[in-house]
């Protein structure tokens, strides 16, 4: 499966810049899949106005692979996306599947995702600590032989590796790479990715997506201009694939549209810069920055529990939960930034999503 075989409208949506939340995982108290709530969550994202879904990624919990949930969760999400008619009507939807593990596992997951109808695989390299660049590139090429890839620079705090500009240049040269999600939570390393894409002369094929939940608005507003062989070349981050967008999604979609309009018009007002700081403040509470991201998934679950979408905040790993003071931090940002919270939207439509 090559990216050139994707539907034209779907590929165009990715290239133009889509809002793609990292899909969370709804569980029952016994830590089994809550199918009804999981389906309702997918419907919520679609009604909120997203341009795609990322399933089987970090926010969906990597442990789904060890509990036999990988295929069922991916299958439920794409079936629901196909069957549901969102508010405002259908739109092109770019579906991303998380891929992880050593080469044999990642290739097997890529085949599963491809056969289910996913458009690209978000490839985690966390299973290769200490590996050399050539070994990593060989792994990426093997998976790219199965389906189109979205590269993934995962932050070290949750298992990511340091990946150099040279790596990203070689990765971008793989023909079946169509995008990269940059989530090192580090400005220097984010720019390593951008410079690698430019060095590979792949900027027309490889679309950049932010995964820097601590820097969402400015990533999407900034024109990055670097020199290449004496010529200035400008590239933009077009969209986002973010765990932060897994909650308060309807309001996030509104902000994303404002950012796209401002970037297109090349007019950046101070209100957007203020929003950048406010959204980062919200993310600090959601992702539990005070405790090195230990409660990052549980924090998102807690928002959905408060809204009624989730029955509890259970994770597959019983050791994962809210950190001390995190619930209070979430309450503070909800109260401080009501314009970023979509409680009213969820309350109005919750019954519809749970039908």
């Amino acid at each position: 499966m090559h990216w050139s075989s994707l539907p034209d409208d779907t590929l165009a949506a990715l290239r133009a810049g889509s809002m793609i939340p990292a899909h969370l995982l709804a569980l029952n108290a016994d830590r089994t899949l809550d199918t009804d709530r999981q389906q309702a969550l997918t419907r919520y994202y679609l009604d909120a106005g997203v341009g795609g879904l990322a399933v089987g990624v970090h926010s969906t919990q990597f442990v789904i692979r060890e509990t036999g949930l990988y295929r069922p969760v991916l299958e439920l999400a794409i079936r629901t996306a196909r069957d549901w008619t969102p508010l405002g009507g259908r739109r092109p939807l770019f579906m991303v599947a998380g891929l992880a593990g050593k080469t044999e596992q990642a290739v097997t997951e890529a085949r599963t995702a491809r056969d289910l109808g996913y458009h690209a695989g978000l490839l985690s390299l966390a299973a290769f600590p200490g590996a050399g660049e050539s070994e990593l590139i060989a792994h990426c090429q093997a998976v790219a032989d199965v389906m189109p890839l979205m590269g993934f620079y995962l932050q070290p705090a949750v298992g990511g590796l340091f990946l150099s500009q040279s790596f990203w240049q070689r990765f971008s040269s793989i023909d079946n790479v169509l995008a990269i999600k940059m989530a090192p939570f580090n400005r220097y390393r984010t720019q390593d990715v951008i410079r690698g894409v430019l060095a590979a002369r792949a900027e027309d094929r490889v679309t950049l997506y932010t995964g820097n939940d601590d820097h969402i608005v400015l990533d999407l507003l900034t024109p990055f201009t670097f020199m290449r062989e004496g010529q200035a070349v400008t590239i933009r981050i077009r969209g986002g694939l973010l765990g932060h967008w897994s909650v308060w999604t309807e309001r996030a979609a509104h902000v994303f549209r404002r950012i796209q309009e401002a970037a297109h018009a090349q007019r950046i007002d101070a209100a957007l810069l203020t929003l950048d700081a406010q959204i980062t403040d919200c993310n600090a509470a959601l992702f539990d920055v005070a405790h090195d991201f230990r409660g990052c998934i549980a924090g998102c679950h807690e928002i959905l529990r408060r809204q009624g979408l989730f029955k509890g905040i259970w994770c597959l790993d019983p050791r994962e939960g809210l950190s001390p003071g995190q619930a209070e931090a979430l309450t503070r940002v909800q109260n401080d930034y009501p314009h970023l919270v979509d409680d009213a939207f969820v309350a109005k439509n919750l019954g519809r999503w749970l039908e």
Side-chain angles (χ1 to χ4, degrees), residues 153-166:
Y153 202 165
L154 177 66
Q155 64 157 318
V158 290
L161 311 179
F162 168 72
L163 299 166
S164 68
Q165 178 183 327
S166 171

Side-chain angles (χ1 to χ4, degrees), residues 19-178:
M19 176 188 177
I20 304 177
H23 208 304
L24 295 169
L25 185 68
L27 298 176
N28 296 303
D30 61 359
R31 303 183 198 279
T32 57
L33 179 64
D34 185 337
T35 303
D36 291 341
R37 300 277 169 168
Q38 188 72 4
Q39 180 175 257
L41 185 60
T42 303
R43 292 171 171 177
Y44 159 60
Y45 293 145
L46 298 178
D47 277 4
V50 304
L53 296 171
V55 190
V57 296
H58 174 256
S59 295
T60 325
Q61 301 176 50
F62 286 139
V63 189
I64 60 172
R65 291 154 174 87
E66 301 168 19
T67 54
L69 287 176
Y70 182 77
R71 183 185 180 98
V73 168
L74 264 65
E75 190 169 18
L76 179 60
I78 199 164
R79 185 174 69 246
T80 303
R82 286 169 175 163
D83 292 345
W84 187 250
T85 300
L87 297 172
R90 292 187 180 276
R91 64 186 71 88
L93 201 66
F94 198 89
M95 299 295 291
V96 180
L99 309 176
K102 294 288 191 177
T103 304
E104 182 179 359
Q105 177 184 334
V107 165
T108 298
E109 291 183 2
R111 288 175 180 148
T112 298
R114 176 198 64 194
D115 293 347
L116 288 172
Y118 282 79
H119 301 117
L122 182 70
L123 185 60
S124 169
L125 299 175
F128 290 87
E133 187 176 291
S134 293
E135 181 183 354
L136 294 175
I137 292 297
H139 168 72
C140 295
Q141 181 65 67
V143 184
D145 288 342
V146 179
M147 75 182 303
L149 291 188
M150 178 180 280
F152 186 15
Y153 202 165
L154 177 66
Q155 64 157 318
V158 290
L161 311 179
F162 168 72
L163 299 166
S164 68
Q165 178 183 327
S166 171
F167 168 83
W168 290 111
Q169 180 177 350
R170 294 177 66 181
F171 179 82
S172 299
S173 298
I174 297 172
D175 178 62
N176 211 17
V177 169
L178 83 172

